[in-house]
Amino acid sequence: MKSRIINTTSLLVGMALLILAACTPGGNKNSGAISGDLAQRSFVAPGEHDEFYGFISGGFNGQLSVIGLPSGRVFKNIPVFSVDAEKAYGFNEETKALLNTSFGFVPWGDSHHPDISQTNGKLDGRWVFINENNTPRIARIDLTTFETVEIIEIPNSAGNHSSSYVTDNTEYVVAGTRFAVPVPQRDMSINDYKGNFKGAMSFLKVDQESGEMNIEFQILMPGFDYDKAHPGRGKSHGWFFFTTYNTEEANSLMEVNASQNDKDFVAAINWKKAEEYLAQGNFTTMATNYAHNLYDEKTQTATTTWEKEVKILDPAKCPGLVYFMPMPKSPHGCDVDPTGEYIVGSGKLSANVTVHSFDKMIKAIEEEKFDGDAYGIPILNFEDVLAGVVVQPGLGPLHTEFDNKGNAYTTFFISSEVVKWKLGTWEVIDRKPTYYSVGHLMIPGGNSQEPFGKYLVAMNKITKDRYLPTGPEVTQSAQLYDISGEKMELLLDFPTLGEPHYAAGIPADLIKPNSKKIYSLEENEHPFVTKSEKDAKVVRDGNTVHVYMTMIRSHFAPDNIEGIKEGDKVYFHVTNLEQDYDVPHGISIIGANTSELLIMPGQTETFTWTPKGVGVWPFYCTDFCSALHQEMQGYVRVSDRNSDIELSWSLDGE
Ligand code: K7E
Ligand code: CUA
């Protein structure tokens, strides 16, 4: 990580090196000390609830964890793109289909940007969306169950990074490619990259009732890298903004060759215009193949639909669809303020933070004041769209969020700090160090029209000496700042799971009342549900055996099974009969080549077991569910293939 800093820095002016030296991790041990009064402000007393939920991505762990703010306490790690043996995610028969892709079953992903659904530009707390970079996908998590309910693969995309942001009314979730690739994929020389590779921007329409996603259209952009995205807000609703780098279209030694141009672009895409072109039939249909995986709460089972085509818009043939605004020096973050007027691009190698104006952009477009074009896309004049510049606020700007008082907060990776500045006057108001090398930051609602400007969470890339060491891999970490006053105040360091890239925060009151407590047994339409103990049974179908089992405090039904034979494939379909909040049961059997099941009240889940030898094999409940949890166990007798032991099952001899 450190070598990466030095490499980036080598591209900067000498002055930068001096400042970096002063900010090198480990350089200032005392500035983290906080007074008792400050500590009180992040303290949530035992039994008390946090004021905000935070949903914080796990990067290379592929998951999304749920934390409380201001305490920083972790409540749950929601499995999204990676299998999770604890919750049987990707292991049980019900959830496996969620991880299907056109490349087969993919057990791992790289999750970066969670974004909560919005109505009228305000957080509505219904769903949270999150992108997967490596095998491009977008997931939707239901915030009543806190479970992943949909994953859609993004065709023609690679490194799906400028994703997954929602428009004011969650009309669309956007998924922009980071890497340009041949579209459609084909065998060609890498040296023919320039002019031939393309960048697909995908717009996923969201059903307003069910939340179900569908790739409405893709815009085939020039072969740049598209790094981050932000929807227009309020007056700029209908537009989407993407930062680009590598407008050089280099395909090797990118750190040098993609850093040549003085300015790259912010691409402004008019998606309402795209809808007009679609309605007029001004698109092509491309054959493709991608997985659309949907979990049905009624059958409690996910299924995969293979989608075969996608509608493509070519910006060169769709006037008014896309414009380029020059932005200095390989911008990373792309952020729009709550009024929708300001578009902040953070040139990673720029000494300044550059802000563009939506009104000026519209004016320049109306006056058709262009400075040439790139692959048929008009380029606006930098000066014509410029709103202002925050002069030398720090080094290595990455991301910006906003409060509800007209302030912006930008992270600086190289100088390890968060800088608060004023929209419109561009003056720096405050700066606070982070420990260390901050990436994203999050203010609850801070990318919507209605930020809750009380706390700011900084997500750091390096922690070094901040925690007890745990071998070469030290903990990932975030920091909480109080931003209610003029000056920011550091309140808390807290560890996170995986590498936190971005987070979304929301007042707990918008989610808590809707949180599901149990699954209704009555409404359970799982094809293998067992709704009462008397319906429990074992059914043989050739070498396949289906066990219809129930669980309730503190036994399984049946708990004795005989007549299973070596080499049988045994499906345990297990229903938790409890209808009380917070009473899951678990199950696994000795030697099972899959994970345990952890089954919520009213839910049915399935695991498979292929016994490897004759004998009497125990199974048991894996969740400490009652005072008699240790009694919650049973046996399966496995006999020789040729034995004539009849299939039988019982509970207490019945
Ligand atoms: Cu880590 Cu948004 Cu993927 Cu910046 S990204 S830091
Ligand atoms: Cu059921 Cu332990």
Side-chain angles (χ1 to χ4, degrees):
M1 210 50 217
K2 179 143 183 186
S3 63
R4 210 187 296 168
I5 302 179
I6 300 300
N7 282 338
T8 315
T9 309
S10 68
L11 295 165
L12 289 163
V13 287
M15 183 199 77
L17 277 166
L18 289 174
I19 299 176
L20 175 65
C23 300
T24 296
N28 191 346
K29 291 232 165 133
N30 296 326
S31 43
I34 56 176
S35 75
D37 168 53
L38 287 179
Q40 281 293 335
R41 284 193 248 154
S42 65
F43 180 69
V44 176
E48 298 286 309
H49 286 182
D50 280 281
E51 189 180 346
F52 293 91
Y53 280 100
F55 298 90
I56 187 160
S57 70
F60 42 58
N61 79 7
Q63 318 294 48
L64 177 69
S65 47
V66 187
I67 61 171
L69 295 172
S71 72
R73 299 180 294 189
V74 177
F75 303 141
K76 183 174 182 176
N77 198 29
I78 302 173
V80 186
F81 297 111
S82 297
V83 298
D84 180 353
E86 175 190 329
K87 300 178 180 70
Y89 184 82
F91 289 96
N92 63 18
E93 297 303 308
E94 286 76 12
T95 57
K96 271 180 187 165
L98 282 170
L99 298 178
N100 282 340
T101 75
S102 62
F103 302 92
F105 177 87
V106 174
W108 170 87
D110 182 11
S111 61
H112 278 224
H113 306 126
D115 204 14
I116 295 169
S117 55
Q118 299 188 14
T119 303
N120 297 325
K122 298 180 176 106
L123 302 179
D124 65 23
R126 296 201 284 170
W127 310 294
V128 50
F129 301 87
I130 189 166
N131 62 318
E132 203 276 277
N133 288 324
N134 187 54
T135 304
R137 286 170 285 172
I138 301 285
R140 178 169 58 90
I141 289 113
D142 183 329
L143 289 180
T144 63
T145 58
F146 289 68
E147 304 268 2
T148 303
V149 290
E150 185 177 12
I151 297 183
I152 193 165
E153 189 181 356
I154 312 295
N156 300 329
S157 177
N160 179 36
H161 194 257
S162 34
S163 320
S164 46
Y165 297 97
V166 304
T167 53
D168 272 0
N169 294 296
T170 321
E171 293 98 335
Y172 290 98
V173 173
V174 83
T177 197
R178 175 171 156 212
F179 310 124
V181 289
V183 177
Q185 272 292 0
R186 58 192 178 274
D187 180 15
M188 64 181 284
S189 167
I190 299 168
N191 282 328
D192 292 337
Y193 178 117
K194 203 166 189 160
N196 292 311
F197 283 30
K198 297 285 180 203
M201 303 289 126
S202 308
F203 285 73
L204 284 63
K205 194 149 205 170
V206 179
D207 184 281
Q208 295 304 302
E209 283 305 306
S210 66
E212 206 177 308
M213 299 179 283
N214 138 59
I215 301 179
E216 189 76 355
F217 60 92
Q218 291 187 322
I219 300 176
L220 222 47
M221 299 283 286
F224 311 147
D225 285 49
Y226 297 85
D227 208 7
K228 281 295 309 299
H230 204 292
R233 293 277 174 239
K235 64 171 154 179
S236 51
H237 180 62
W239 290 80
F240 231 108
F241 304 95
F242 296 84
T243 42
T244 72
Y245 64 102
N246 192 27
T247 48
E248 296 84 353
E249 294 180 82
N251 55 284
S252 184
L253 195 65
M254 303 287 285
E255 65 188 274
V256 175
N257 295 327
S259 304
Q260 298 300 308
N261 290 348
D262 183 51
K263 293 190 179 66
D264 294 280
F265 298 125
V266 166
I269 295 182
N270 185 339
W271 57 259
K272 290 208 166 148
K273 200 86 191 161
E275 290 179 335
E276 287 172 25
Y277 281 117
L278 282 181
Q280 292 160 14
N282 194 352
F283 60 88
T284 55
T285 303
M286 189 184 286
T288 180
N289 182 42
Y290 63 93
H292 184 186
N293 310 319
L294 196 60
Y295 181 87
D296 180 341
E297 203 174 295
K298 284 206 195 95
T299 61
Q300 306 185 351
T301 305
T303 50
T304 299
T305 307
W306 296 98
E307 307 282 356
K308 297 297 184 192
E309 51 181 46
V310 61
K311 290 176 185 147
I312 304 273
L313 292 173
D314 177 352
K317 293 184 188 143
C318 297
L321 181 62
V322 186
Y323 298 91
F324 284 136
M325 293 190 279
M327 182 62 75
K329 304 270 177 210
S330 302
H332 182 61
C334 181
D335 297 286
V336 175
D337 84 303
T339 70
E341 165 62 6
Y342 297 120
I343 302 135
V344 183
S346 296
K348 298 188 291 282
L349 307 176
S350 170
N352 303 326
V353 169
T354 302
V355 185
H356 286 331
S357 155
F358 177 72
D359 287 345
K360 287 187 173 179
M361 181 192 90
I362 294 297
K363 184 157 181 278
I365 291 170
E366 281 169 1
E367 293 170 357
E368 298 189 8
K369 289 170 75 181
F370 304 133
D371 181 19
D373 71 287
Y375 296 102
I377 297 170
I379 301 171
L380 300 165
N381 285 296
F382 178 72
E383 290 75 18
D384 289 347
V385 294
L386 185 68
V389 171
V390 189
V391 180
Q392 300 196 344
L395 290 172
L398 289 184
H399 299 285
T400 302
E401 293 246 316
F402 306 90
D403 66 13
N404 45 350
K405 296 178 206 128
N407 300 306
Y409 301 77
T410 301
T411 54
F412 292 85
F413 179 83
I414 296 172
S415 52
S416 271
E417 58 189 334
V418 179
V419 174
K420 175 181 179 180
W421 50 275
K422 190 128 207 95
L423 287 159
T425 69
W426 323 118
E427 63 193 308
V428 169
I429 297 168
D430 188 26
R431 61 178 67 242
K432 281 288 177 305
T434 59
Y435 305 92
Y436 306 95
S437 295
V438 59
H440 271 277
L441 76 172
M442 179 274 276
I443 293 168
N447 74 357
S448 73
Q449 283 188 43
E450 190 180 270
F452 302 86
K454 188 167 181 185
Y455 298 114
L456 180 156
V457 176
M459 285 155 269
N460 302 322
K461 300 301 182 190
I462 297 174
T463 52
K464 289 219 161 164
D465 51 22
R466 299 292 284 185
Y467 295 90
L468 285 175
T470 46
E473 191 193 9
V474 290
T475 186
Q476 306 284 335
S477 166
Q479 293 183 296
L480 181 79
Y481 296 80
D482 182 332
I483 57 165
S484 56
E486 178 79 355
K487 301 283 179 192
M488 297 176 274
E489 291 173 295
L490 175 61
L491 300 184
L492 181 72
D493 275 28
F494 60 96
T496 63
L497 303 175
E499 182 183 357
H501 281 269
Y502 187 45
I506 182 168
D509 291 343
L510 289 174
I511 291 194
K512 203 159 80 170
N514 306 324
S515 190
K516 200 174 177 78
K517 295 200 158 55
I518 58 163
Y519 293 87
S520 156
L521 204 51
E522 240 162 66
E523 289 165 20
N524 182 335
E525 292 177 22
H526 191 291
F528 292 94
V529 65
T530 311
K531 294 200 180 182
S532 72
E533 288 187 357
K534 69 172 179 3
D535 297 328
K537 61 187 175 187
V538 183
V539 178
R540 176 177 287 284
D541 175 15
N543 289 346
T544 301
V545 176
H546 291 279
V547 179
Y548 294 74
M549 183 181 270
T550 65
M551 53 198 345
I552 198 160
R553 280 162 288 181
S554 295
H555 60 265
F556 297 94
D559 63 0
N560 282 201
I561 300 171
E562 302 204 352
I564 304 292
K565 294 175 184 169
E566 229 184 326
D568 279 344
K569 183 164 192 189
V570 185
Y571 287 86
F572 286 85
H573 308 286
V574 190
T575 301
N576 181 347
L577 296 180
E578 306 280 359
Q579 292 286 271
D580 278 345
Y581 185 34
D582 200 20
V583 191
H585 294 283
I587 183 173
S588 194
I589 192 163
I590 187 169
N593 296 108
T594 185
S595 77
E596 66 149 355
L597 302 179
L598 184 65
I599 308 173
M600 298 304 130
Q603 222 178 2
T604 304
E605 292 188 18
T606 304
F607 77 96
T608 60
W609 180 57
T610 306
K612 303 283 188 322
V614 300
V616 178
W617 306 107
F619 58 90
Y620 71 99
C621 174
T622 51
D623 183 293
F624 205 106
C625 51
S626 74
L628 296 172
H629 154 78
Q630 289 296 79
E631 278 70 17
M632 198 165 168
Q633 62 183 63
Y635 288 103
V636 178
R637 175 180 174 187
V638 176
S639 307
D640 183 78
R641 192 77 244 154
N642 302 315
S643 95
D644 50 10
I645 305 285
E646 291 274 302
L647 197 61
S648 67
W649 60 93
S650 62
L651 169 68
D652 200 19
E654 310 224 337

